[in-house]
Amino acid sequence: MLTILRRAMLLAGAAATVAPGIRRAAAQAAPATPDLRDLSYPFVLPPLPYPTTANEPSIDAVTMEIHHDKHHAAYVANLNAAVKDHPQVAAMPLTTMLAKIGELPEGIRGAVRNNGGGHANHTMFWTVMGSTGGEPGGDVAAAINRDFGSYADLKTSFNKAALGQFGSGWAMVLVDGSGKLSLTPRPNQDSPLLDGKRVLFGNDVWEHAYYLKYQNRRADYAAAWWNVINWPVINARYQAAVAGTLAI
Ligand code: MN3
């Protein structure tokens, strides 16, 4: 029995040693299945859809781990704490909480804006990474060329927005129901869902997203980020936006 257990553990250990490459290849081959559903109370931290090493070397594993396990987890915990004594608010899906932020009790408005926005933003963020970047394909490539001129032009404008965001915030590409794309920087955790808009993809330019590896070099992080973005997932989000089924 012990021998079998030990053998199983050795095999598991060997698998873990070779797994990152295999899992990475598998993740690329797998069909894109981003979570497009709305979120509701009690909110839970979604697991990372890949190992913390999946975005190495562009984003280091320790940053991924702290960012997900500590920062995103805190937004979830704080959002739950904010709405738990407000059953009418807690009954709303997250998109409604954010879209109706001005109608929420004043005492929890800021907490929902910051932590609900943080939960929505990071839920999107994890799913649009974990791959190998490269040129976009499919319908989203045509939309990028139509609305930004080219992929190179999009990257230039997007990175400029990422660098121009004073302090903490995001650079995001929005998508409307007709498939039209637009670029927007957002401060803090302000989600475009506050304005009833939908995010196609976005990059987190809070220092917690890059400081361990890049310190003050936000430009280097912004440039490297494109190496891990997941075009199949972004294409699926695009299709969902046009179909009206993209929630978060
Ligand atoms: Mn963050």
Side-chain angles (χ1 to χ4, degrees):
M1 185 65 174
L2 268 178
T3 312
I4 292 167
L5 265 178
R6 254 183 70 190
R7 186 176 298 159
M9 285 171 72
L10 281 170
L11 281 170
T17 308
V18 297
I22 290 172
R23 275 187 296 206
R24 195 174 167 116
Q28 286 161 23
T33 53
D35 196 341
L36 308 169
R37 292 170 302 175
D38 214 334
L39 305 173
S40 56
Y41 179 85
F43 298 98
V44 294
L45 179 67
L48 271 182
Y50 39 69
T52 53
T53 53
N55 296 311
E56 291 267 13
S58 297
I59 306 175
D60 59 286
V62 177
T63 294
M64 287 299 300
E65 184 181 331
I66 295 173
H67 197 174
H68 176 268
D69 295 2
K70 306 294 183 194
H71 290 279
H72 189 176
Y75 297 127
V76 172
N78 292 337
L79 177 59
N80 283 331
V83 302
K84 76 176 168 53
D85 295 329
H86 299 269
Q88 285 182 323
V89 179
M92 297 175 183
L94 181 57
T95 51
T96 306
M97 273 185 213
L98 291 170
K100 297 192 171 200
I101 193 80
E103 298 168 33
L104 303 192
E106 204 173 344
I108 63 169
R109 225 174 271 169
V112 172
R113 181 185 190 106
N114 293 333
N115 297 291
H119 185 28
N121 290 339
H122 289 84
T123 298
M124 171 280 300
F125 185 54
W126 311 129
T127 69
V128 301
M129 302 190 291
S131 190
T132 54
E135 294 282 325
D139 289 350
V140 81
I144 287 168
N145 291 337
R146 182 193 63 212
D147 296 333
F148 296 103
S150 69
Y151 176 46
D153 289 336
L154 163 64
K155 281 209 287 192
T156 301
S157 305
F158 188 98
N159 288 351
K160 199 172 162 193
L163 295 185
Q165 175 55 49
F166 183 76
S168 299
W170 292 76
M172 290 172 163
V173 168
L174 306 182
V175 56
D176 74 13
S178 73
K180 179 157 179 48
L181 307 181
S182 58
L183 181 61
T184 182
R186 295 278 158 156
N188 307 310
Q189 292 297 352
D190 279 1
S191 167
L193 300 174
L194 291 164
D195 308 319
K197 294 178 177 161
R198 292 295 178 273
V199 179
L200 180 62
F201 65 88
N203 189 9
D204 186 343
V205 294
W206 283 57
E207 285 185 345
H208 67 223
Y210 63 87
Y211 206 83
L212 286 180
K213 183 179 173 82
Y214 295 94
Q215 291 85 46
N216 61 320
R217 292 173 286 116
R218 186 189 284 188
D220 291 353
Y221 161 71
W225 181 74
W226 297 95
N227 298 330
V228 302
I229 69 167
N230 191 323
W231 287 117
V233 164
I234 292 170
N235 248 309
R237 292 180 64 80
Y238 183 83
Q239 305 290 353
V242 173
T245 55
L246 178 65
I248 297 293

